[in-house]
Amino acid sequence: MELIVRDRRDEADGVVSLTLADPEGHDLPVWTAGAHVDLTVDLGDDAHVVRQYSLSSDPADRAAWRLGVLREPAGRGGSEFVCTKLDVGDLVEVSAPRNHFELAPATDYLFVAGGIGITPILAMIAHARAVGARWSLVYGGRTRSSMAFLDELAVYGERVTVVPQDEQGLLPLAAVLGDLDPRTAVYACGPEAMLAAVEATVPHRAALHLERFTPKVIEVEGPDEAFQVEFATSGLTATVPAESTVLAVAEELGLPVDFSCREGTCGSCETPILTGRAEHRDSVLDEAEQAENTCLMICVSRAERGCTTLRLDL
C-alpha cells in the first residue's frame, strides 16, 4: 500500500521517527504489538531496497503508524535514505504488518530494550497498559542522547529504568533477571550481544521472547549437503545444491515467493512444511517453534541432515 509521511521527527542522535497515514484518511489495517512492516525505499536509477521496521505507535490507533529508524551510514542505503531524504508529504510503499514477536497474554511483563530495539517495545507498553497488565522496562543505549523516545517514556516514572552505558555501564541483567518470577513474560529487543546476555541470564526460558535485527550466529556441523525439495502446491521437484538455498531454487523456477532480508530475520519467506524435517537457521522462530517443525524460513534453513527430501506448501 502507498502511505504518506504525515510527520517526521528527530528522536535522538541518528534516530528518526516517521508517522505514516493513508493519503485519503482511511483507517490502516489492524496490527498487534510487536509487528513490523516492509518499507520499500526507491534509491533512484531503478534501484530500490526493502527494509523492515517495527511499528512503535499504539496498536489501537488505526489512523497512523509510527516507525523508528536508526541511521546507518555504513549500510546499504535504506536507512540513510529514510533518515535524510524522506520528508513530510512524501509517498512510500509499505507492506501489511507481520508479527513474529507477538505479545502473549500475561499478567506481568518485563521489557528489555537496547538502542533502536525500543521501537517494538513502545507498542507493547501501550498494549500492556490497555489490558491492565503490570509491566516494567529496562532500556539501555550507548549514550543518553542516542536513546530515542526518552521524553515519551519519562511519564511512566519508576516503571522505566534508563541505563546509558557511558554513565552507568552495561544493563544490570543479573540483578534484573536473576530472581525473576516465573510468571513474568520477558520481551527483549536490541543488539545481538545484549540478547545473548539476556538468553544466558533468564532462568525461565519458556517465558523469554526475543526479536533480532541481525542474524544470530548459527553453528553447523560439517559442510552443507544437497537435498530434494518438493513444492507440493506447484507440483515441482528440484534439487537444492549445497551452495544454494530453497529460496534461490524457488526463484529460479519462477514460483511466487515472498521474501525480503535473505538473512532469516524478517520472517517474510516463512513456508509450511508438509513432510520432512528442517535444519533451522533462522533468527525468528524460538526453540519450541523450531522443534515443532511446522514451517521454515526458506532463505536460510535447509533439510535436516539425513533428510533427503523436504515437501513444502509452496
Side-chain angles (χ1 to χ4, degrees):
M1 73 191 84
E2 194 172 55
L3 302 182
I4 192 168
V5 179
R6 195 175 72 185
D7 191 25
R8 179 191 184 281
R9 299 184 184 183
D10 294 321
E11 300 289 354
D13 293 345
V15 179
V16 168
S17 71
L18 298 176
T19 299
L20 308 177
D22 182 90
E24 303 298 325
H26 301 302
D27 280 351
L28 296 177
V30 173
W31 60 284
T32 53
H36 69 268
V37 296
D38 293 344
L39 199 70
T40 300
V41 178
D42 186 355
L43 302 179
D45 297 326
D46 294 325
H48 69 273
V49 294
V50 179
R51 293 291 179 266
Q52 293 77 43
Y53 297 111
S54 295
L55 294 172
S56 66
S57 45
D58 186 338
D61 181 5
R62 299 282 304 281
W65 292 340
R66 185 180 64 179
L67 313 179
V69 182
L70 173 66
R71 183 179 181 184
E72 298 181 274
R76 291 175 286 178
S79 69
E80 182 76 6
F81 184 92
V82 171
C83 290
T84 62
K85 303 295 184 183
L86 275 185
D87 208 343
V88 173
D90 289 343
L91 295 173
V92 63
E93 188 67 25
V94 185
S95 74
R98 292 192 304 274
N99 201 342
H100 289 280
F101 193 37
E102 192 83 40
L103 190 63
T107 56
D108 294 83
Y109 295 102
L110 172 60
F111 302 119
V112 183
I116 197 62
I118 189 62
T119 51
I121 301 300
L122 292 172
M124 291 182 170
I125 290 172
H127 177 81
R129 293 182 66 232
V131 299
R134 293 182 292 271
W135 65 273
S136 60
L137 165 67
V138 181
Y139 177 22
R142 297 188 314 278
T143 64
R144 192 176 296 272
S145 64
S146 71
M147 299 172 69
F149 306 108
L150 288 181
D151 290 344
E152 184 173 321
L153 292 167
V155 300
Y156 299 125
E158 294 182 356
R159 287 179 181 268
V160 176
T161 302
V162 176
V163 186
Q165 186 175 344
D166 64 336
E167 298 176 20
Q168 303 177 36
L170 297 175
L171 290 176
L173 295 178
V176 173
L177 301 172
D179 192 27
L180 196 66
D181 188 311
R183 294 169 295 182
T184 300
V186 180
Y187 283 79
C189 185
E192 181 58 31
M194 185 202 84
L195 296 180
V198 170
E199 283 185 300
T201 308
V202 171
H204 313 290
R205 293 294 295 276
L208 177 61
H209 310 267
L210 307 177
E211 181 171 61
R212 288 178 160 88
F213 291 142
T214 57
K216 62 183 178 181
V217 177
I218 306 293
E219 295 183 4
V220 298
E221 297 181 4
D224 289 337
E225 301 172 349
F227 60 94
Q228 295 290 112
V229 59
E230 180 182 341
F231 299 108
T233 305
S234 304
L236 300 173
T237 300
T239 298
V240 179
E243 69 280 2
S244 189
T245 65
V246 177
L247 173 59
V249 170
E251 287 183 282
E252 291 171 3
L253 293 174
L255 300 185
V257 289
D258 187 14
F259 64 93
S260 179
C261 72
R262 294 184 182 270
E263 296 179 330
T265 58
C266 74
S268 300
C269 66
E270 179 180 335
T271 302
I273 299 172
L274 299 178
T275 58
R277 294 200 60 83
E279 180 180 291
H280 296 282
R281 300 183 181 180
D282 65 274
S283 303
V284 177
L285 303 176
D286 60 28
E287 292 179 1
E289 291 170 329
Q290 291 183 349
E292 289 174 358
N293 194 57
T294 58
C295 65
L296 81 165
M297 306 303 156
I298 60 174
C299 65
V300 291
S301 296
R302 308 181 64 79
E304 190 177 75
R305 295 172 193 276
C307 174
T308 57
T309 304
L310 278 180
R311 187 166 179 261
L312 306 179
D313 186 8
L314 183 63

